[in-house]
Amino acid sequence: MHYLSPEFALAFLAFLWIYWTLAAKFGTKAQNILLLLASYGFYACFDWRFCMLLISFSVCILALAQIAEKKHALKQRWPVVLGVLLALGNLGVFKYYNFFREEANAWLAPIFHSNSLPILDLLMPVGISFYTFQGIAYLVTIGRGERTSASWLNGLLHLAFFPTLLAGPICRPSELLTQIESKTARTIHRPELALLLIISALVKKIWLAAWLANTWVNPVFANPDGFHPVELVGALFAYGWQLFFDFSGYTDVVTALALLLGFSLPENFRQPYLATNLSDFWRRWHITLSRWIRDFIYIPLGGNRSGWWRAQLNLLIAMVLSGFWHGASFTFIAWGLWHGLGLVLQNTWQKLFNASMPNFFALPITFLFVSCGWLLFRADDYESLMIYLNAFTQWDNLPSLNWLGLSLILVIFFAGAHNAQQLMAYSEIHLRRMQWWLQALVFSLVALAIMSLAPAGMPGFIYFGF
Amino acid sequence: MGTSITKTLLGLTLAVTLLLLIKASALVSYWQQSRHIFLHTDARALSIPTPEFLSAFTAPINSVAATSNTITARMTFAGQYLLVGEAALPQVIAAPVNEVPALPETITLVADCAPSAMPANSPLTTVQENPQVPVPVPGPSNENFSGANDQPINNARAIDSVATTSANASTAEKIPSEDATTNSTKASNTYTDKIQTTEPLALSLLPSDKLLLIGDSMMQGVAPHIVSKLRRKYGITSVDLSRQSTGLSFPGFFDWPAQVEASLAETDYKALVVFLGANDTWDIVLKGHALKFGTEPWREVYNQRVETILSTAEAKGVAILWLGAPPMEREDLRLRVPVLNEIYRAAAERHKAIARFIDTGKTLTADGVTFTKFLELPERGSIMVRANDGIHFTSNGQRLLAELTLAQFTLPDSTHVLSRNP
């Protein structure tokens, strides 16, 4: 059941009525219990075993956090270390076991002539990468003595909160947990923004991402050597935008859901393709993951406190791990390495010349670099990557796609990104002036228009796979 | 509940209700197709008469879409011209002007006289290649076609190829595996023993031939491997029309028999590969009545649809490979897929001259019938061939199936194998 499916819309609407009626009579605690039940129910729609895993994971993390708090964690670190190891072990088994097994078997084969590692038929629980990171963030925060541990109810809800369960944003305890714990009555702070975010999600996900995928990305990536190099470049750029629309569209809809439940979620995207250098890009793309990597990998490794060279190494390690987090495959590691090397190169440039490029030059270069990275991100394996790259030699292919049209659309996308924030603010003001029924009417008409423009079918979200 | 919250909830409820009312029929057919619920509801009866204001609202969108199609076509051409210059121009225009008027008549003539024996655009191709040669009047068989003697293999249809090979059935049986051993990459060597063909179609593909691939999400995974290998190694063009969530059970959602007919009418394909069934293990909705899966009326309707595809192809002389759906893990699919395969197999049997049913289970499972996620291959140990959903394939599995498909054809650089063993 996906967030943009009709089933979810109907269930969520019914849920909202119960949720807010409950608040009026029994207060926020009852709302939290209802949210917890709904979250587990929602997760069980995918597979009930996922719920079992999530609840065991949550109980371990919450219990260890309580122990860590009592032990004066600065001296006795074992509960935190144990918790982090458990969390990573859990993630490792479910997400990476088969990757390591096949690779290890390939290396061991000449020596042992048999399969020395057993087959485990594991199903990767959706969202595990996200709740693992959120759990670690919580545990380490307690261990550092930055906050007190949560009650069982609130702690369980923090890790299972259904809007963020499947693909983030990865919240800090100070963000989501604090709001869960707050005893003041909840309210919907910006209902108009919630409507706009749903519209934005429909535009990005149902229309633009699906359209880019159908007309450009899927055909070209399925059979690169049937296309002209200009089309290959076009498909690569299209894929970059598809990813952005897909994931930021997802973030928009969950932010809207949270708003309607009385919560506000941290920002996850800030027009990443307007970035003028790579570190700027990572401050705008999947922000909650970037800052998690910074807080829990880069800074603990030493950050930039131990000299310039060490800082570059730390950066490289952090980026490779971030790549590996996206998937159990060498292509994701290579993607992380690509960005890590890019950042090191950029830092070297700044150290040597201490000068930055003008924006009209820096923006396209950054976009180009990021797009080349998406090629690694998208490739299934080394072979399919090479097929794509080799296709660049075939200049005699007759182009069959409208690349002039795509160029124009890309220009529109960049202009749109530039003005998006203003447009949202402007629309929110106008929407707020309308009566509730007029808002509803406008909302339905816009939704209808998007549905009639969108390619048919119910698209999945790319980031659920991570 | 505060008034602002109440208003927000009322607004949302109103919006959702409006959307539900307007989209009711689309929603119900979506549910019938994807969730297999409300099967007894006639989706079309649900459409409320579209309010006037709404059609006034959608009309501009539709006209914009129509205009944008024209603009897209023009821009695509402009883009082609910018990149490859003269080569972008249609070949008909490049040919001598005085030959052009002859073309439309020829096509009509072919369609009227001998639709079964003559590929639709063969005469067209001949005219483009040799504009000075008078266009022959096509007769009922290939012998009358002047081009046939110059390029016997090129112009021979599937039926002829099969007729030739069936005489040498014992020889032909060995060909695919030899082909796989000699021509495949290192990785695929290990697959060789999995890719057996009992009764090959032994259809020769030449670089000038075109292959059409249709199917559901299973085919979407396999087709790119077939397309790219055929193109890169043999220069053969294939067209992949596969589409997720499709099948033969819900023609209202996507109508494969019609699509095949349209595609075959438009382009001259040498062969058609069909791979579907994952979405077909459900009741069929027919005019608001649901036919229960597996019952006699259900089989009749389903078989009719399979039959339509096969006879459309046969009428055009296009050879067909029909890949059976492999054993599935999910209980409901596991028991039902064999029913589908039986229908495919029987139908292919009826069109023996041009069609073959390929049992993918033999390739993808250890014993041929039980779902296998990790397949033991002699040289690579156990590799994962099926995706976690128990339906789709990993890229290893997709490659195996692509190899299996290609092994059914005799491909250009292995044609000498045929002549060596007469």
Side-chain angles (χ1 to χ4, degrees):
Chain A
M1 191 156 73
H2 286 178
Y3 296 121
L4 286 176
S5 65
E7 295 88 341
F8 184 84
L10 292 174
F12 185 70
L13 184 64
F15 177 80
L16 275 182
W17 280 104
I18 305 172
Y19 177 80
W20 288 110
T21 317
L22 212 63
K25 290 194 174 147
F26 304 101
T28 48
K29 187 164 183 188
Q31 282 184 312
N32 286 351
I33 294 171
L34 187 68
L35 274 178
L36 183 64
L37 292 176
S39 298
Y40 272 90
F42 172 71
Y43 205 27
C45 288
F46 292 87
D47 195 321
W48 63 272
R49 290 167 298 179
F50 293 173
C51 292
M52 297 293 120
L53 190 71
L54 176 60
I55 200 159
S56 337
F57 171 82
S58 306
V59 167
C60 286
I61 293 289
L62 293 173
L64 284 167
Q66 290 184 356
I67 299 170
E69 192 177 29
K70 288 192 189 105
K71 289 273 181 189
H72 301 292
L74 288 178
K75 284 178 191 147
Q76 300 233 7
R77 293 182 136 190
W78 71 263
V80 175
V81 174
L82 181 66
V84 171
L85 288 178
L86 271 177
L88 292 180
N90 184 43
L91 183 64
V93 167
F94 283 97
K95 188 165 177 173
Y96 300 108
Y97 180 81
N98 280 324
F99 169 75
F100 283 119
R101 194 192 66 85
E102 283 191 14
E103 292 309 317
N105 272 342
W107 288 98
L108 293 175
I111 311 167
F112 292 105
H113 295 289
S114 68
N115 284 307
S116 20
L117 294 170
I119 294 167
L120 291 182
D121 184 4
L122 298 168
L123 194 58
M124 192 180 102
V126 56
I128 187 170
S129 318
F130 293 89
Y131 71 66
T132 300
F133 272 24
Q134 194 158 307
I136 292 178
Y138 167 72
L139 188 60
V140 174
T141 310
I142 304 285
R144 285 176 183 164
E146 286 166 14
R147 62 158 291 145
T148 54
S149 65
S151 74
W152 286 100
L153 170 64
N154 295 340
L156 286 174
L157 179 56
H158 171 233
L159 293 177
F161 187 57
F162 72 85
T164 63
L165 179 60
L166 299 186
I170 304 165
C171 299
R172 288 170 171 161
S174 61
E175 288 158 348
L176 183 56
L177 188 55
T178 313
Q179 293 180 66
I180 291 173
E181 285 171 335
S182 165
K183 294 218 165 41
T184 41
R186 284 180 197 141
T187 180
I188 303 176
H189 287 292
R190 292 162 76 185
E192 294 82 14
L193 180 63
L195 290 183
L196 283 174
L197 284 170
I198 294 174
I199 296 282
S200 156
L202 289 173
V203 169
K204 286 175 178 168
K205 175 69 207 173
I206 304 282
W207 180 22
L208 297 177
W211 179 80
L212 284 172
N214 283 355
T215 49
W216 275 88
V217 182
N218 292 345
V220 176
F221 275 88
N223 185 26
D225 35 28
F227 292 90
H228 192 277
V230 168
E231 290 173 299
L232 297 177
V233 174
L236 200 53
F237 290 168
Y239 181 58
W241 278 98
Q242 184 208 339
L243 265 183
F244 167 70
F245 287 136
D246 188 275
F247 195 18
S248 82
Y250 159 82
T251 307
D252 285 348
V253 73
V254 298
T255 309
L257 298 180
L259 273 176
L260 292 173
L261 294 168
F263 293 87
S264 66
L265 294 181
E267 198 180 14
N268 221 7
F269 288 92
R270 208 178 293 140
Q271 304 307 339
Y273 292 139
L274 296 183
T276 49
N277 61 53
L278 278 182
S279 25
D280 190 20
F281 175 78
W282 284 105
R283 280 193 296 270
R284 293 161 172 267
W285 176 276
H286 204 178
I287 299 167
T288 55
L289 176 70
S290 307
R291 68 179 194 196
W292 193 98
I293 299 280
R294 189 191 63 215
D295 292 350
F296 299 104
I297 296 177
Y298 178 69
I299 292 178
L301 278 173
N304 56 6
R305 286 161 294 168
S306 332
W308 191 85
W309 286 105
R310 184 56 206 261
Q312 304 315 305
L313 183 67
N314 293 341
L315 199 56
L316 218 50
I317 295 172
M319 290 314 290
V320 168
L321 287 177
S322 159
F324 195 48
W325 175 88
H326 282 82
S329 142
F330 279 123
T331 52
F332 285 116
I333 298 177
W335 173 71
L337 193 64
W338 172 260
H339 272 277
L341 289 173
L343 283 166
V344 171
L345 196 72
Q346 178 188 312
N347 291 345
T348 315
W349 169 278
Q350 270 163 4
K351 193 178 164 73
L352 290 179
F353 303 106
N354 196 23
S356 53
M357 286 180 243
N359 279 359
F360 68 86
F361 196 57
L363 191 144
I365 286 195
T366 310
F367 181 68
L368 196 64
F369 186 91
V370 170
S371 297
C372 293
W374 292 137
L375 189 55
L376 292 163
F377 194 85
R378 165 89 185 199
D380 284 333
D381 45 29
Y382 179 73
E383 199 191 342
S384 55
L385 175 71
M386 289 324 286
I387 291 174
Y388 203 94
L389 291 177
N390 283 334
F392 275 99
T393 54
Q394 302 184 340
W395 288 87
D396 49 348
N397 274 343
L398 183 69
S400 54
L401 299 173
N402 180 8
W403 64 272
L404 283 175
L406 183 75
S407 318
L408 189 68
I409 284 164
L410 289 180
V411 170
I412 296 172
F413 285 167
F414 277 102
H418 199 73
N419 297 309
Q421 208 177 356
Q422 247 182 318
L423 186 70
M424 285 292 268
Y426 184 77
S427 317
E428 197 184 342
I429 292 169
H430 277 263
L431 210 53
R432 191 171 294 150
R433 288 190 194 139
M434 293 177 192
Q435 287 292 321
W436 65 269
W437 54 268
L438 192 57
Q439 288 182 352
L441 219 59
V442 170
F443 178 85
S444 333
L445 285 180
V446 176
L448 271 180
I450 298 165
M451 283 181 216
S452 62
L453 286 167
M458 192 47 63
F461 286 102
I462 294 177
Y463 258 72
F464 284 179
F466 298 144
Chain B
M1 203 166 5
T3 44
S4 84
I5 294 175
T6 316
K7 277 185 183 171
T8 309
L9 295 193
L10 279 175
L12 281 173
T13 314
L14 177 62
V16 170
T17 316
L18 276 177
L19 288 174
L20 268 184
L21 283 176
I22 293 164
K23 285 274 173 189
S25 60
L27 187 62
V28 167
S29 44
Y30 161 72
W31 272 331
Q32 285 178 339
Q33 198 269 331
S34 65
R35 316 252 171 224
H36 315 291
I37 48 175
F38 303 127
L39 286 179
H40 293 268
T41 320
D42 187 355
R44 289 163 307 170
L46 286 172
S47 343
I48 55 163
T50 319
E52 277 305 311
F53 77 91
L54 203 68
S55 48
F57 172 73
T58 45
I61 294 180
N62 292 339
S63 78
V64 167
T67 321
S68 82
N69 282 343
T70 325
I71 296 174
T72 304
R74 287 180 185 168
M75 282 179 99
T76 309
F77 177 69
Q80 289 175 334
Y81 194 78
L82 275 176
L83 288 182
V84 293
E86 296 286 320
L89 298 172
Q91 287 181 15
V92 180
I93 296 171
V97 181
N98 57 350
E99 290 300 322
V100 177
L103 286 176
E105 289 166 27
T106 317
I107 295 165
T108 342
L109 206 56
V110 172
D112 288 340
C113 288
S116 61
M118 195 58 62
N121 70 356
S122 253
L124 183 62
T125 323
T126 319
V127 173
Q128 284 166 5
E129 283 165 1
N130 315 307
Q132 302 311 320
V133 177
V135 177
V137 179
S141 79
N142 279 342
E143 276 82 351
N144 292 352
F145 185 42
S146 67
N149 294 329
D150 307 332
Q151 297 169 297
I153 308 171
N154 193 1
N155 290 313
R157 300 313 300 163
I159 302 159
D160 303 320
S161 310
V162 173
T164 327
T165 338
S166 58
N168 312 320
S170 59
T171 324
E173 258 173 40
K174 293 205 177 72
I175 295 164
S177 55
E178 270 181 50
D179 173 37
T181 325
T182 45
N183 295 313
S184 299
T185 57
K186 189 188 163 214
S188 55
N189 271 337
T190 56
Y191 301 152
T192 315
D193 66 320
K194 275 280 166 195
I195 295 162
Q196 302 277 331
T197 51
T198 42
E199 203 183 355
L201 204 49
L203 175 68
S204 304
L205 288 183
L206 290 171
S208 53
D209 290 330
K210 272 191 154 186
L211 199 64
L212 177 63
L213 308 163
I214 67 165
D216 54 18
S217 51
M218 299 193 295
M219 186 53 131
Q220 280 185 318
V222 176
H225 297 275
I226 300 177
V227 172
S228 76
K229 185 149 187 193
L230 278 180
R231 190 186 160 86
R232 270 184 302 130
K233 281 194 78 173
Y234 309 103
I236 296 168
T237 318
S238 5
V239 174
D240 168 26
L241 293 181
S242 56
R243 233 178 107 121
Q244 74 217 37
S245 315
T246 59
L248 302 178
S249 291
F250 298 90
F253 176 68
F254 194 82
D255 192 351
W256 276 120
Q259 175 67 53
V260 168
E261 197 173 353
S263 301
L264 295 188
E266 197 176 275
T267 315
D268 178 27
Y269 289 105
K270 182 81 178 265
L272 165 70
V273 184
V274 186
F275 188 22
L276 42 73
N279 304 303
D280 284 349
T281 58
W282 307 97
D283 303 350
I284 289 178
V285 188
L286 211 62
K287 293 169 191 145
H289 297 285
L291 306 177
K292 206 134 196 63
F293 177 87
T295 56
E296 210 37 59
W298 188 95
R299 282 169 200 257
E300 214 168 277
V301 170
Y302 195 82
N303 184 48
Q304 186 55 48
R305 292 173 185 172
V306 175
E307 182 64 35
T308 311
I309 293 181
L310 285 166
S311 41
T312 309
E314 182 158 33
K316 292 267 178 208
V318 176
I320 300 155
L321 285 184
W322 199 297
L323 304 187
M328 304 286 183
E329 191 177 32
R330 247 172 48 189
E331 200 67 10
D332 46 352
L333 287 173
R334 188 174 66 82
L335 299 170
R336 289 173 163 200
V337 154
V339 176
L340 299 177
N341 285 341
E342 226 16 79
I343 294 176
Y344 304 149
R345 186 196 300 276
E349 191 66 26
R350 284 197 301 276
H351 296 262
K352 211 170 168 29
I354 52 132
R356 285 292 176 280
F357 171 81
I358 311 293
D359 184 358
T360 54
K362 284 187 183 147
T363 302
L364 274 187
T365 62
D367 60 359
V369 284
T370 328
F371 176 85
T372 313
K373 191 166 180 181
F374 294 89
L375 197 61
E376 285 290 337
L377 289 178
E379 286 163 47
R380 284 190 51 195
S382 67
I383 58 160
M384 190 165 150
V385 291
R386 300 298 286 271
N388 283 327
D389 58 11
I391 300 171
H392 298 99
F393 320 103
T394 62
S395 39
N396 278 325
Q398 292 165 353
R399 282 194 198 114
L400 266 173
L401 289 179
E403 293 280 334
L404 175 70
T405 309
L406 293 182
Q408 312 302 320
F409 297 103
T410 311
L411 294 161
D413 58 347
S414 56
T415 37
H416 65 277
V417 179
L418 258 179
S419 48
R420 208 174 51 199
N421 307 310

